[in-house]
Amino acid sequence: MNILMALSQLEVTGAEVYATTVGDELTSRGHNVFYISDTLTKPHQGPSFTLRFNKRSIPRRFWHVSYLVYLIKKHNIQLVHAHSRASSWSCHLACKLTGTPMVTTVHGRQPVHASRKKFHAMGNKALPVCETIKAQLIQDLGVAETQLEVSRNGIETTRFNVCEPPKNPRPVITIVGRLTGPKGDLCFRLLSECLDLEKYDVRVVSGSQCDTRFDAFKDNVTFTGYTHDVPKMLSQADLVIGAGRVAMESLLCGRPTLAIGEAASIGIVTPDNVQQAMATNFGDIGPKDLDIDFSNVANDVERVLSQNQCDPELTATIKASYNLTTVVDHLERIYQDVYIDTLRREMPVIMYHRFIQDESEKGVHGTYLHIEMFEKHLKLLKRMGFESLTFEDLAQSNLIRRLEPGKRYIMLTVDDGYADNYHLMMPLLKKYGFKAVVFVVTGETFNRWDVENPDNPETQVSLMTREQIKALADSGVVEIGGHTMSHPKLDNLSRDDQYREIIENKTLLEDLLCKPLTSFAYPFGLHNEDTKSITQDVGYQFAVATDSGPLQLHQDPYQIRRIGIFPRTDVFGLWRKVRGNYLFRKVKE
């Protein structure tokens, strides 16, 4: 995807670290990430643009919106991700004007006033970084809970390793954070009221300029300025004092950590209070700003300095909760939710069965299409600019690949494995440069499940031989998927019988093709929770239904909804079905 990260930064903050860290991970996954901000200090991949979001006069804001509209159109931005109040206000309007999906990560408490309540300006989805912010957005600003989803800070946890306790002549206490605003007030009070500056080697790490009130401490405190080597800085401390990312990174290094921020003092982080700490972003967010009791800080410092390391359980909790890969996986899912829901378009997954050459081959169940019409379908898809994907393609990259900018993707699926798939379909796929996924029944030689239907018997049609299945798979235009041994209604079977139908079919095909299968189709589209769990347990990465499942493909990769193609689906009918919004309109109707 083409993603624009928007910030309003005048100095390094947690929001900038978050945006660039997440942005670099997205870039490594193949996304094109752009940045726009007042300033951008952190090294980052991808183009960046300067815009003075903090200049908030009415003419300036008109300029902000106009410039954002220009960037969105010029760079084909598919989604805007804002990270501050100032940037989100302008981005919200620009996205409304251009129809661009937008999310906003909310890094701190929001101001409460009448205009803010009426105009949240957070786009399609707001992502508070902790539970306390989410509660404030609901209670104070009236943001609908359905518009909110907690999305934690992403940390490159591999950069931070538990280190040996330092051997310092005097205990080193490292305070990390801004020296301006509420964090500056917090640091001043810690130095003036809580810490024995003669007893401890106190170091203040900040990218902010010191104002004159800190001059009184310069003989006893080391003001180190900003550092790019955060792990080294943390490893040298006997105790780290900070909030937000500072506390998380300190705990990843195994350092005893006093979590105190703009709103609350959590105290020394322990396994007993880590969930409370996470819910408040380690003290940065609370019910009311600067509601901090400083009276116990000195005692907490004395107590924790007797420890060499923090509890290993804490480090494991932080790794599990803030791991960058997990956080960006979550973000990609949200991006897909917002993008598809806003535009009401999804990659069409269409379903064929068998192909005929003349009227004598027609069936009674409507699961056929004349091969001449199939060729017309492929010609139309070609003219519309479609390219085809298979599940193997998605497994090698990522489901979000289907939203690649400048591309229009479709997936062609074909059920049962009829012999005509080899004789008639494969040559046309090669001719027009399309690929398909063919789901194969392996325990039958013909469509017994339909022929022996007592209520409505079908014409007998041959299935592919082993040799034809192998040739289809080797053609380069077909992925073979599983479809059971005998095409039963799986939801009528016991779990054991379902397992046998699925695993035996999978084993036979994998032995034949000498590679693992990626996808499976439920016969008749019928399944239950046992079916889905078995499909996942045996190693399938995707499973398709027929007319059940969420409208967004990524929301349940084991119940992917498909669009049926029938004998009467002519070129116009196909055009209606593949425009991208067909299922959204159909379900609404």
Side-chain angles (χ1 to χ4, degrees):
M1 295 185 75
N2 289 343
I3 302 160
L4 178 64
M5 297 283 184
L7 305 99
S8 51
Q9 305 298 118
L10 298 177
E11 57 185 320
V12 180
T13 66
E16 180 179 316
V17 176
Y18 171 94
T20 53
T21 301
V22 163
D24 284 349
E25 173 65 16
L26 288 165
T27 299
S28 74
R29 298 184 181 201
H31 299 282
N32 301 312
V33 182
F34 302 79
Y35 300 86
I36 187 165
S37 180
D38 298 66
T39 62
L40 202 57
T41 304
K42 290 289 292 181
H44 61 279
Q45 303 174 47
S48 61
F49 309 94
T50 300
L51 191 61
R52 303 294 183 186
F53 283 116
N54 274 290
K55 303 290 186 180
R56 303 184 190 185
S57 66
I58 297 298
R60 281 278 189 173
R61 286 194 163 181
F62 273 115
W63 164 243
H64 297 164
V65 173
S66 300
Y67 188 59
L68 286 165
V69 168
Y70 164 76
L71 287 180
I72 288 169
K73 291 182 176 180
K74 177 178 174 60
H75 296 286
N76 188 24
I77 298 299
Q78 295 172 277
L79 183 136
V80 173
H81 188 162
H83 296 272
S84 65
R85 290 191 298 273
S87 65
S88 69
W89 193 95
S90 299
C91 287
H92 184 92
L93 293 178
C95 288
K96 286 290 186 184
L97 291 171
T98 58
T100 306
M102 174 185 165
V103 300
T104 298
T105 292
V106 186
H107 295 271
R109 283 177 58 85
Q110 301 297 289
V112 180
H113 46 73
S115 62
R116 187 68 171 167
K117 288 182 178 181
K118 291 183 179 179
F119 186 57
H120 301 142
M122 295 178 190
N124 305 96
K125 197 84 171 178
L127 312 178
V129 296
C130 66
E131 288 77 4
T132 303
I133 297 176
K134 178 180 178 181
Q136 192 241 344
L137 292 173
I138 295 170
Q139 295 166 9
D140 294 350
L141 293 181
V143 181
E145 188 168 1
T146 54
Q147 194 185 351
L148 299 170
E149 189 165 345
V150 172
S151 179
R152 302 201 186 280
N153 282 289
I155 299 176
E156 296 174 280
T157 53
T158 53
R159 289 185 58 215
F160 300 90
N161 298 300
V162 175
C163 48
E164 291 294 319
K167 298 178 181 178
N168 298 309
R170 287 190 299 160
V172 172
I173 298 177
T174 299
I175 304 172
V176 187
R178 296 194 304 275
L179 295 179
T180 56
K183 276 206 168 63
D185 297 338
L186 172 63
C187 182
F188 184 84
R189 291 194 66 178
L190 288 171
L191 296 177
S192 60
E193 300 176 27
C194 304
L195 301 177
D196 186 335
L197 304 183
E198 298 290 338
K199 186 175 181 181
Y200 307 127
D201 179 354
V202 179
R203 305 174 185 179
V204 176
V205 181
S206 176
S208 307
Q209 292 291 325
C210 294
D211 61 37
T212 54
R213 62 178 168 168
F214 289 99
D215 290 345
F217 305 115
K218 288 190 174 179
D219 291 337
N220 303 98
V221 176
T222 303
F223 291 86
T224 66
Y226 183 73
T227 177
H228 287 291
D229 194 347
V230 176
K232 181 179 179 181
M233 175 266 293
L234 295 172
S235 70
Q236 295 170 345
D238 293 282
L239 170 66
V240 176
I241 301 178
R245 295 180 70 91
V246 173
M248 302 166 206
E249 292 169 350
S250 172
L251 293 167
L252 287 170
C253 289
R255 309 315 305 130
T257 303
L258 175 60
I260 184 169
E262 297 181 22
S265 175
I266 303 300
I268 303 305
V269 183
T270 68
D272 292 334
N273 66 14
V274 67
Q275 294 302 323
Q276 176 197 357
M278 290 166 59
T280 63
N281 204 28
F282 293 85
D284 254 354
I285 314 298
K288 185 172 69 174
D289 288 341
L290 295 175
D291 184 18
I292 298 174
D293 180 3
F294 287 86
S295 61
N296 289 324
V297 172
N299 290 334
D300 284 339
V301 169
E302 282 289 333
R303 179 167 52 86
V304 78
L305 285 173
S306 63
Q307 304 173 14
N308 290 324
Q309 300 276 39
C310 72
D311 192 310
E313 183 183 332
L314 282 173
T315 301
T317 299
I318 300 303
K319 278 187 177 180
S321 302
Y322 297 94
N323 175 271
L324 182 61
T325 299
T326 303
V327 169
V328 176
D329 285 346
H330 182 221
L331 267 184
E332 282 190 320
R333 196 265 298 158
I334 292 171
Y335 287 172
Q336 292 172 83
D337 285 348
V338 169
Y339 183 82
I340 295 168
D341 189 57
T342 302
L343 302 182
R344 310 298 283 175
R345 291 186 181 277
E346 175 59 283
M347 178 184 78
V349 181
I350 62 177
M351 175 180 60
Y352 296 95
H353 285 79
R354 65 184 184 92
F355 303 96
I356 65 171
Q357 289 180 298
D358 58 59
E359 297 296 303
S360 66
E361 299 174 278
K362 283 184 174 182
V364 298
H365 290 173
T367 54
Y368 62 89
L369 186 74
H370 199 287
I371 194 64
E372 291 181 1
M373 182 57 70
F374 180 63
E375 183 167 15
K376 291 178 181 179
H377 284 188
L378 297 182
K379 286 180 179 179
L380 173 68
L381 297 178
K382 202 75 173 176
R383 285 199 300 271
M384 293 177 74
F386 277 108
E387 298 178 43
S388 53
L389 288 175
T390 66
F391 287 113
E392 288 178 347
D393 293 331
L394 294 177
Q396 290 169 8
S397 52
N398 193 309
L399 271 176
I400 203 171
R401 177 187 170 185
R402 72 196 192 281
L403 307 180
E404 186 178 351
K407 297 286 188 179
R408 194 175 191 185
Y409 286 121
I410 191 168
M411 184 175 289
L412 312 179
T413 68
V414 189
D415 282 10
D416 304 337
Y418 293 102
D420 54 67
N421 294 180
Y422 173 76
H423 294 297
L424 303 178
M425 179 191 73
M426 183 176 68
L428 289 179
L429 292 176
K430 289 182 175 181
K431 179 178 178 180
Y432 291 97
F434 286 101
K435 296 184 287 187
V437 184
V438 177
F439 299 106
V440 176
V441 173
T442 52
E444 304 288 353
T445 59
F446 67 94
N447 55 335
R448 185 190 302 275
W449 59 92
D450 279 338
V451 171
E452 297 181 359
N453 182 336
D455 299 322
N456 193 17
E458 178 61 279
T459 304
Q460 181 170 320
V461 184
S462 296
L463 300 178
M464 283 187 288
T465 65
R466 287 171 54 86
E467 292 74 23
Q468 290 169 337
I469 295 169
K470 183 73 166 64
L472 206 61
D474 291 342
S475 69
V477 296
V478 171
E479 170 194 335
I480 299 296
H483 202 39
T484 71
M485 294 295 292
S486 63
H487 204 283
K489 294 180 177 180
L490 289 170
D491 60 339
N492 287 341
L493 302 183
S494 68
R495 183 182 178 89
D496 288 345
D497 287 342
Q498 288 192 55
Y499 182 83
R500 279 191 292 272
E501 281 279 352
I502 294 170
I503 193 62
E504 289 180 13
N505 169 250
K506 185 172 189 285
T507 302
L508 283 169
L509 288 171
E510 290 179 341
D511 288 346
L512 173 65
L513 305 179
C514 300
K515 68 175 186 179
L517 299 190
T518 301
S519 57
F520 178 81
Y522 305 116
F524 305 105
L526 300 174
H527 59 281
N528 54 29
E529 288 306 311
D530 281 343
T531 325
K532 291 173 72 171
S533 67
I534 291 168
T535 304
Q536 189 169 2
D537 290 345
V538 300
Y540 283 115
Q541 297 179 55
F542 303 96
V544 296
T546 51
D547 56 357
S548 69
L551 297 179
Q552 301 193 28
L553 190 151
H554 65 280
Q555 290 184 342
D556 189 347
Y558 291 94
Q559 192 175 351
I560 294 171
R561 186 184 285 260
R562 293 186 288 172
I563 300 170
I565 303 297
F566 304 103
R568 293 181 177 274
T569 306
D570 59 10
V571 173
F572 177 72
L574 180 69
W575 176 79
R576 287 181 58 250
K577 291 185 174 187
V578 301
R579 290 174 61 198
N581 63 351
Y582 174 76
L583 287 176
F584 291 91
R585 290 186 290 107
K586 180 182 177 183
V587 171
K588 185 177 180 180
E589 291 168 2

